[in-house]
Amino acid sequence: MPLWAPSARRIQNANLTRYQEFLLRKFNVDCRTFDELYTWSVENPATFWESVWEFTGVIASRRWTQVLQPADDLWKTRWFVDARLNFAENLLRGRDELPALTFWNEEGRQRELTYRELADQVNAIAAALVEAGVRPRDRVAGFLPNLPETVIAMLATTSLGATWSSCSPDFGVEGVVDRFGQIQPKVLFAADGYLYAGKEIDSMDRLRRVLDRLPEIERVVVVPYRKGAGKLPRRAITWARFLKRSQPSVRERDFEGFPFDHPLYVLYSSGTTGLPKCMVHGAGGTLIQHLKELVLHCDLKPEDRIFYFTTCGWMMWNWLVSSLAAEATVVLYDGSPFHPDANILWRMAEREGLTIFGASAKYLSLLEKNEARPKEAFSLNRLQTILSTGSPLAPSSYDYVYREIKSDVCLSSISGGTDLISCFALGNPIGPVFRGELQTRGLGMKVEVFDEDGRSVTEKPGELVCTAPFPSMPVFFWNDPDGEKFRKAYFNHFPGVWRHGDWAEITSREGVVIYGRSDATLNPGGVRIGTAEIYRQVNKLPEVLESVAVGQKWQGDVRVVLFVQLRDSVVLTDELKSRIRNLVRENCSPFHAPAKIIQVPDIPRTLSGKITELSVQRTIHGEAVGNMEALANPEALEHFRHLSELTE
């Protein structure tokens, strides 16, 4: 039985329903069910993506001559050949006096910008960037919190055909240099500091050290977000002074159109095995993919208010901001989601009348462990959709959402990645939600699961792959002139097929289950299992805050070792170990049950907040971890070294 199903009225009013009617009217395509629509979309990619362009009203200064130009290599496919568009123009299409951005932090609501105000500020910053010498294909970077100024700087940059890249202010100096040092930005936007968990954190010292390492940066613009910029580093001026350098006569201008695959963003891999890979995403592919996901899969409309808890160092920030292209209101939040208490985001949801609320699976799990009951404390009448990503959403979290947040809501667990700046699996607002399943594969994305022999399988775990081209594939990797890094990253394992690196299953209902990263799957006794299967059980226990499972080489085989981070004052007793093993054994299999269970005070994470199982696995085997600067808390790895329990 489904946990939720949409009402007849919701189905009738959904963008997807209007899209099905549009297909019939404009393209004579009659898809009565979502499954029929998905099948048609992957079998007719040129017509499908053309229909998305038309339905979502992409603004272009020149129309394409060919929607899809095939190539022998999947990644060399060209989309919307000869089209010219401006990404920022599409995001600034909103109506003048309606709110575009609303900004919150731990101290509450801070300010709001209308679409008119946003456009004025974007034009002013763009004019100042022109005065600073920024030209198309130059790089502009942000070392910033999730502020309105971050959105303004990005839109100003991309309106000029320059390329935007950002890191959140919790990145260390090496993490910033490892990323921006590769792409050599001409201008850097930064903030004087930020607020997290009630603490004022100064960013200026790190900024100075970054600038010492990146002499190619010609201009630094400092946003006085917290206590004021104070004494500025060399090459730096304040946001206000930078604005004064723009000429009012050039603030109003026509948007220049650029090719569909014009470089828009540089995003980065986690960098845990070396320098982060610099993934360059195109303007057109990013725009049309985000519009498809937001408008069709999330049912986003102009009257909606959408929020996603993210920093500007995670691709979900880029995804969220694209909501402006649907003329919706984007709600930004910067700070801890649990300060001053676990209800801060729900107070915001009530006051802002959020209709779409997004967060990580970890956030929902911690919310449950904090025994938060938002539905009892807040009016969430307008809330239509809850989104979750970052890691697989545990079945128990599905129960929690419907029990303690809202019973009538579309809970859409979504999955994709930085590599495609979008999703392979998404929500379906006109379909049911089943416990533990992502509702559907993304329209137009020919997603399959392969077994070890490269055969497509269903109702069986395997490698998540995409067997046909899609428009939001990276246009190239930075400093990869022959494309070798690009091919190696996705196409070497199954030649000509995108291997994403997730261990997954397509269910009998055409839903998707993600079991974890395929390079972190465990193989005890020759049985391949996903780590998420273990976490789903262990993390249900109230004593456990979080856990990480890895495989340890042992006596010619592999044994499962589980590390647990427990609540304060909780000790890992034999009784608790027994409960953990029994829970995993009974709900998964004997192969899943950990041979060793060890308590640790912290679990290492990447800068984007994901548990790094490979770093733990390398550490317990005495191997070097490639790039410690890629970790948000590298000191946590010290708890995994030289453990006597692992010698027994």
Side-chain angles (χ1 to χ4, degrees):
M1 290 290 293
L3 294 173
W4 175 86
S7 66
R9 182 178 180 183
R10 180 157 185 176
I11 294 172
Q12 181 182 357
N13 294 333
N15 288 333
L16 263 171
T17 302
R18 290 196 302 107
Y19 173 66
Q20 288 171 309
E21 296 166 351
F22 169 81
L23 281 179
L24 182 60
R25 183 174 67 252
K26 183 75 180 284
F27 295 91
N28 198 30
V29 173
D30 189 7
C31 295
R32 303 292 178 91
T33 68
F34 185 89
D35 288 346
E36 289 177 1
L37 180 61
Y38 174 77
T39 300
W40 171 81
S41 74
V42 297
E43 291 179 350
N44 302 273
T47 307
F48 169 70
W49 287 107
E50 178 185 354
S51 73
V52 173
W53 179 296
E54 298 287 353
F55 183 75
T56 60
V58 171
I59 301 169
S61 56
R62 184 195 298 170
R63 192 171 173 83
W64 68 85
T65 57
Q66 188 177 2
V67 174
L68 190 157
Q69 187 179 86
D72 292 337
D73 294 323
L74 182 142
W75 62 90
K76 294 181 181 177
T77 300
R78 293 187 63 203
W79 295 90
F80 296 95
V81 180
D82 295 325
R84 308 278 291 193
L85 59 84
N86 188 291
F87 180 81
E89 180 181 17
N90 277 274
L91 270 64
L92 292 170
R93 67 172 81 177
R95 296 148 297 169
D96 285 359
E97 299 309 317
L98 291 177
L101 299 175
T102 299
F103 173 54
W104 279 64
N105 63 19
E106 296 172 3
E107 297 169 336
R109 195 176 203 262
Q110 301 300 304
R111 52 197 159 112
E112 185 171 89
L113 289 175
T114 66
Y115 270 95
R116 177 71 264 169
E117 291 168 333
L118 176 62
D120 287 345
Q121 294 197 36
V122 168
N123 287 338
I125 291 294
L129 287 171
V130 170
E131 290 293 313
V134 172
R135 301 293 181 263
R137 287 184 175 264
D138 283 343
R139 278 76 60 206
V140 176
F143 181 40
L144 289 162
N146 190 12
L147 306 173
E149 285 83 358
T150 312
V151 179
I152 293 163
M154 179 278 287
L155 289 171
T157 297
T158 57
S159 74
L160 302 173
T163 302
W164 174 262
S165 189
S166 56
C167 291
S168 57
D170 54 343
F171 278 44
V173 172
E174 292 297 330
V176 176
V177 172
D178 283 350
R179 288 158 175 76
F180 295 164
Q182 295 186 70
I183 66 170
Q184 298 185 317
K186 180 174 284 188
V187 176
L188 175 66
F189 288 88
D192 61 334
Y194 62 101
L195 180 69
Y196 195 85
K199 297 179 182 178
E200 295 277 357
I201 301 171
D202 182 80
S203 296
M204 298 302 287
D205 179 62
R206 270 178 298 154
L207 176 61
R208 290 185 177 89
R209 287 187 285 152
V210 166
L211 294 176
D212 287 342
R213 301 276 296 278
L214 300 178
E216 64 275 5
I217 295 175
E218 297 175 9
R219 172 63 66 198
V220 182
V221 182
V222 177
V223 178
Y225 170 42
R226 296 310 299 171
K227 295 182 177 178
K231 184 178 180 181
L232 297 176
R234 186 171 54 86
R235 294 174 275 164
I237 61 174
T238 64
W239 176 273
R241 284 190 60 201
F242 189 62
L243 274 177
K244 290 180 180 178
R245 294 192 170 214
S246 69
Q247 298 298 318
S249 61
V250 296
R251 291 185 183 183
E252 292 294 339
R253 69 195 196 287
D254 293 329
F255 288 97
E256 181 181 353
F258 298 97
F260 188 83
D261 59 359
H262 186 80
L264 172 75
Y265 291 135
V266 180
L267 273 63
Y268 306 94
S269 67
S270 61
T272 52
T273 57
L275 279 179
K277 294 187 289 289
C278 304
M279 307 166 189
V280 182
H281 287 285
T286 300
L287 176 67
I288 198 167
Q289 184 76 280
H290 286 181
L291 279 170
K292 179 206 76 177
E293 295 182 348
L294 290 160
V295 173
L296 298 183
H297 287 279
C298 297
D299 204 29
L300 183 67
K301 301 181 176 75
E303 60 268 24
D304 283 320
R305 287 179 168 246
I306 182 171
F307 161 77
Y308 215 103
F309 179 70
T310 180
T311 70
C312 61
W314 187 21
M315 60 141 288
M316 292 310 298
W317 179 86
N318 308 77
W319 188 89
L320 171 66
V321 173
S322 287
S323 301
L324 295 170
E327 302 181 51
T329 300
V330 173
V331 178
L332 307 173
Y333 179 85
D334 189 72
S336 167
F338 290 98
H339 190 88
D341 54 58
N343 285 320
I344 176 64
L345 298 186
W346 299 104
R347 277 195 292 275
M348 180 183 74
E350 179 184 61
R351 177 166 174 186
E352 297 299 333
L354 291 183
T355 52
I356 302 176
F357 181 104
S360 66
K362 178 189 175 186
Y363 168 77
L364 293 173
S365 175
L366 290 176
L367 202 65
E368 181 179 10
K369 290 183 183 296
N370 275 273
E371 300 181 349
R373 295 180 173 86
K375 76 173 186 180
E376 295 181 3
F378 303 100
S379 173
L380 303 174
N381 295 333
R382 295 199 66 210
L383 187 62
Q384 299 286 315
T385 302
I386 294 178
L387 303 171
S388 171
T389 194
S391 59
L393 184 64
S396 60
S397 291
Y398 283 75
D399 300 334
Y400 169 74
V401 166
Y402 285 106
R403 185 180 69 249
E404 304 295 355
I405 299 180
K406 192 176 185 183
S407 59
D408 183 18
V409 71
C410 183
L411 174 57
S412 297
S413 179
I414 62 179
S415 180
T418 301
D419 314 76
L420 57 152
I421 202 169
S422 58
C423 301
F424 280 135
L426 287 147
N428 172 13
I430 63 172
V433 174
F434 290 93
R435 188 175 189 265
E437 285 189 26
L438 289 72
Q439 286 176 285
T440 183
R441 290 167 283 179
L443 292 170
M445 307 293 274
K446 197 170 183 182
V447 174
E448 301 178 51
V449 168
F450 277 10
D451 65 14
E452 292 180 356
D453 297 319
R455 295 174 299 200
S456 184
V457 297
T458 58
E459 299 182 67
K460 180 182 177 182
E463 290 278 358
L464 184 75
V465 299
C466 191
T467 59
F470 53 91
S472 65
M473 199 177 290
V475 292
F476 59 88
F477 281 2
W478 202 263
N479 295 328
D480 184 30
D482 60 359
E484 181 57 30
K485 293 179 184 176
F486 191 98
R487 284 191 296 272
K488 184 179 179 182
Y490 310 113
F491 298 103
N492 277 6
H493 193 84
F494 299 115
V497 171
W498 176 292
R499 172 182 175 256
H500 192 54
D502 279 344
W503 194 246
E505 178 181 346
I506 296 173
T507 71
S508 60
R509 291 184 285 256
E510 299 297 321
V512 180
V513 177
I514 306 291
Y515 294 107
R517 296 294 295 170
S518 57
D519 56 7
T521 54
L522 309 174
N523 200 27
V527 178
R528 197 169 183 189
I529 59 179
T531 53
E533 298 175 84
I534 297 174
Y535 303 151
R536 283 170 182 155
Q537 304 307 320
V538 176
N539 293 351
K540 287 191 294 188
L541 294 169
E543 297 93 337
V544 179
L545 286 177
E546 213 159 28
S547 58
V548 58
V550 299
Q552 182 195 15
K553 299 171 188 174
W554 185 256
Q555 297 179 351
D557 196 358
V558 172
R559 66 178 180 180
V560 177
V561 179
L562 178 71
F563 297 95
V564 291
Q565 180 184 0
L566 304 179
R567 286 182 177 275
D568 290 344
S569 75
V570 176
V571 176
L572 183 63
T573 62
D574 289 340
E575 186 273 335
L576 180 54
K577 289 181 183 180
S578 179
R579 275 199 288 137
I580 290 172
R581 284 195 182 94
N582 289 337
L583 190 66
V584 173
R585 184 181 293 110
E586 292 170 6
N587 290 285
C588 297
S589 79
F591 290 102
H592 291 71
K596 291 284 181 179
I597 305 175
I598 301 171
Q599 183 175 357
V600 291
D602 197 9
I603 290 175
R605 293 184 164 274
T606 65
L607 289 168
S608 59
K610 295 183 179 179
I611 292 173
T612 172
E613 292 149 326
L614 291 180
S615 296
V616 171
Q617 187 165 299
R618 289 193 178 103
T619 300
I620 68 170
H621 287 106
E623 300 169 3
V625 176
N627 184 7
M628 297 289 278
E629 288 297 327
L631 301 181
N633 54 340
E635 67 282 355
L637 282 178
E638 293 304 314
H639 307 303
F640 298 83
R641 300 187 194 279
H642 313 301
L643 292 169
S644 59
E645 296 99 318
L646 296 182
T647 64
E648 304 168 349

